[in-house]
Amino acid sequence: MVFDREGREVGKHQLEHRQILPGPGLVEHDALEILRNTETVIRQTLTEKRLTAKDFAAIGVTNQRETTVVWNPKTGQPWSNALVWQDTRTQPLMAQLEQDGKGELVRSRTGLPPSSYFSAGKIRWILDNVPGVRAAVESGEAVFGNVDTWIIWNLTGGTDRGTHATDVTNASRTMLMNLSTCSWDPELLDLLGIPAQLLPDIRSSSDVYGVTRADGPFGGEVPLAGDLGDQQAATVGQVCFSPGEAKNTYGTGNFMLLNTGQELVPSRAGLLTTACYRLKGQATRYALEGSIAVTGSAVQWLRDQVGLIRNASEIEGLAISVADNGGVYFVPAFSGLFAPYWRPDARGTIVGLSRYATKGHLARATLEAISFQSRDVLHAMEKDSGIKLSVLKVDGGATVNNTLMQIQADILGVPVVRPRLAETTSLGAAYAAGLAVGFWNDAESLRANWKADRQWDPQWTEDRRESHYREWQKAVEKSMGWIE
């Protein structure tokens, strides 16, 4: 995506990449395909809009945060498929950490619970299970990065002169960064058997990482000056720069972030404490985050695995073909339950089925599942922060579904507001890059770019809201304890 000084969209192109599912709980991506797609969408956008490298002040990168790539920096070849954040193969290792009494150490240093969600276990799995990787680390032929680091390394030169770096937001999702110091934690590296030389440098989210290579997709040198994990990027794109401001992003999963400023707020209600962003020359800002593993990907499941719909947009028509969910509740715990439950033993569950139930009821139950999970997280956030939200800013691809947004307002009992530009994740990466090179003067000046597109007010009665939520909680209980 390309933006101008007012934060308006100039051009965009997108591609969907393959989901590789080798077995239950296993989710992989082809890192080379991600790179090819990245370069293709850049070239396509430049061609369509007749842009060249000289038209850009800077570029920023945003990414799925915990997805793990280990590659050979001398050849540019990944050692294996990338292990995606939803992949659960490392759960036995995480359970062992808890059994060994190391869970509290991990939480206190990183703000995260031991979970297969984060990168550390995935790195360890690759070191232990992909032949030759551990030896390759010693010879400088294996390095790690989340997808941001992989893209930055390739765009800034690859095997010739690629920058091996990440930012504080992505580093905070590895389960290896000390949140207080924003540096790799030697004790955690030792605990997990991960060599420090494998890891990238940790930098500010808004900083010049290097310039793009002349023979790359931009066809010239452009400062690569921004890097943010996708949810933190959306927080910046929604201009949530003040403590107490929050947003909810609707993508493959759902992610709600509440800015807590320079204060590290430990969660007692099942949330994550994470880096929110760090602008060049400034202190790190922190956030509370509620991470939900499966929301938009539940719609993909209905499309790709079940064949209930042919494309994602069809779910809205199905959902409004019925007056309510017909008593059907869908808990899409395909990778276990994330915030605020953290139950890796949960699995996807559909309850309340009767002969009356139709595909319309299942479609509506899917949209309600997205919204109920967000309510679980919002309640936890209010407990931890003491802040009661009066409005929820939303963004991400699924917010084009107006029925979903109305259901969300009904289930939360607060207004839901969508900005004029729904793809605030990309905008946040652009903001970080532009601030680093002086394209924008300061973060506060970006507030003027934010414009509301539409607001949904709650329509359900309090009784209906609470009775449906009680049914949802019963359904969640049914999903737990499925995996021994």
Side-chain angles (χ1 to χ4, degrees):
M1 293 191 76
V2 183
F3 300 95
D4 66 13
R5 201 177 298 274
E6 283 70 47
R8 294 176 301 211
E9 179 188 315
V10 173
K12 71 176 179 183
H13 189 61
Q14 66 184 44
L15 289 171
E16 186 172 319
H17 56 261
R18 226 168 13 116
Q19 306 303 302
I20 303 167
L21 309 168
L26 307 182
V27 188
E28 301 177 357
H29 289 159
D30 179 347
L32 289 173
E33 181 192 11
I34 291 174
L35 176 62
R36 287 194 301 272
N37 285 351
T38 300
E39 295 185 338
T40 298
V41 296
I42 292 169
R43 288 192 176 99
Q44 187 74 19
T45 306
L46 267 61
T47 299
E48 287 178 2
K49 297 299 174 181
R50 298 182 181 178
L51 299 169
T52 69
K54 294 178 181 177
D55 294 310
F56 291 87
I59 60 170
V61 170
T62 182
N63 61 297
Q64 286 187 346
R65 297 168 296 181
E66 300 81 8
T67 298
T68 298
V69 188
V70 175
W71 72 95
N72 185 336
K74 296 181 180 178
T75 65
Q77 293 297 308
W79 281 92
S80 68
N81 279 338
L83 302 189
V84 178
W85 60 276
Q86 292 173 315
D87 190 285
T88 61
R89 74 186 71 190
T90 64
Q91 185 50 41
L93 173 61
M94 298 300 111
Q96 191 64 50
L97 287 175
E98 292 282 21
Q99 289 169 20
D100 294 344
K102 301 298 183 181
E104 192 48 44
L105 171 67
V106 172
R107 288 180 184 86
S108 64
R109 298 286 176 86
T110 68
L112 313 172
S115 171
S116 60
Y117 178 16
F118 307 112
S119 311
K122 302 177 198 301
I123 299 170
R124 172 65 182 272
W125 190 91
I126 291 172
L127 286 168
D128 288 349
N129 291 279
V130 178
V133 174
R134 198 172 278 279
V137 176
E138 299 303 319
S139 61
E141 294 179 290
V143 294
F144 152 76
N146 295 125
V147 173
D148 65 313
T149 301
W150 167 245
I151 295 298
I152 289 168
W153 184 82
N154 278 286
L155 289 181
T156 57
T159 51
D160 298 319
R161 53 187 175 87
T163 301
H164 186 221
T166 190
D167 89 304
V168 291
T169 68
N170 279 289
S172 75
R173 312 301 292 204
T174 60
M175 216 177 78
L176 296 171
M177 189 188 88
N178 186 309
L179 264 188
S180 298
T181 63
C182 291
S183 57
W184 302 120
D185 190 288
E187 191 172 353
L188 292 177
L189 292 178
D190 185 58
L191 176 66
L192 286 153
I194 295 173
Q197 62 264 42
L198 192 68
L199 305 175
D201 295 333
I202 302 175
R203 299 193 184 179
S204 294
S205 313
S206 180
D207 196 3
V208 177
Y209 286 68
V211 295
T212 58
R213 64 184 202 274
D215 64 343
F218 285 94
E221 293 188 347
V222 182
L224 199 159
D227 180 22
L228 284 158
D230 51 5
Q231 305 315 318
Q232 288 91 341
T235 308
V236 171
Q238 289 272 35
V239 294
C240 295
F241 295 124
S242 299
E245 292 184 317
K247 67 85 202 176
N248 198 22
T249 296
Y250 296 71
T252 309
N254 267 32
F255 303 87
M256 192 181 295
L257 265 73
L258 175 78
N259 186 330
T260 62
Q262 295 184 48
E263 183 183 2
L264 271 167
V265 179
S267 176
R268 293 173 178 81
L271 301 178
L272 308 177
T273 305
T274 194
C276 193
Y277 60 87
R278 186 171 76 197
L279 301 182
K280 191 175 182 180
Q282 297 184 20
T284 301
R285 267 52 175 188
Y286 296 98
L288 283 169
E289 175 175 336
S291 306
I292 303 166
V294 178
T295 55
S297 55
V299 178
Q300 288 179 326
W301 177 75
L302 290 180
R303 181 193 68 186
D304 298 338
Q305 269 87 352
V306 180
L308 188 72
I309 52 177
R310 287 168 299 179
N311 56 67
S313 61
E314 287 181 15
I315 195 168
E316 184 168 16
L318 272 180
I320 60 177
S321 70
V322 293
D324 54 35
N325 65 14
V328 177
Y329 290 83
F330 175 23
V331 183
F334 300 149
S335 301
L337 289 168
F338 284 14
Y341 303 102
W342 297 106
R343 290 291 296 263
D345 60 337
R347 280 299 177 268
T349 307
I350 300 172
V351 299
L353 291 172
S354 67
R355 285 287 302 273
Y356 173 69
T358 67
K359 59 184 181 180
H361 294 117
L362 182 54
R364 188 170 186 89
T366 303
L367 299 187
E368 289 188 356
I370 295 170
S371 303
F372 280 126
Q373 290 181 98
S374 293
R375 174 167 170 169
D376 286 337
V377 165
L378 181 59
H379 280 191
M381 204 162 271
E382 290 176 344
K383 283 181 192 173
D384 275 336
S385 68
I387 297 167
K388 191 162 182 65
L389 287 187
S390 57
V391 65
L392 182 67
K393 287 183 175 180
V394 299
D395 56 72
T399 61
V400 300
N401 187 323
N402 295 326
T403 302
L404 171 61
M405 294 297 96
Q406 182 60 58
I407 290 172
Q408 185 68 89
D410 292 337
I411 285 173
L412 289 182
V414 299
V416 168
V417 180
R418 180 177 66 198
R420 206 168 285 176
L421 181 76
E423 294 291 354
T424 53
T425 301
S426 299
L427 182 61
Y431 281 165
L435 287 168
V437 299
F439 186 71
W440 290 291
N441 293 328
D442 55 59
E444 284 302 313
S445 67
L446 300 174
R447 289 189 184 276
N449 291 345
W450 193 93
K451 301 284 190 304
D453 171 52
R454 184 169 171 183
Q455 176 170 316
W456 290 266
D457 295 316
Q459 295 179 354
W460 286 6
T461 64
E462 188 69 13
D463 284 347
R464 182 180 180 186
R465 181 177 304 117
E466 294 310 312
S467 66
H468 275 61
Y469 189 55
R470 283 194 298 272
E471 294 292 303
W472 162 257
Q473 290 174 309
K474 283 167 59 180
V476 169
E477 287 175 15
K478 303 290 185 192
S479 76
M480 295 176 179
W482 191 255
I483 299 295
E484 294 292 339

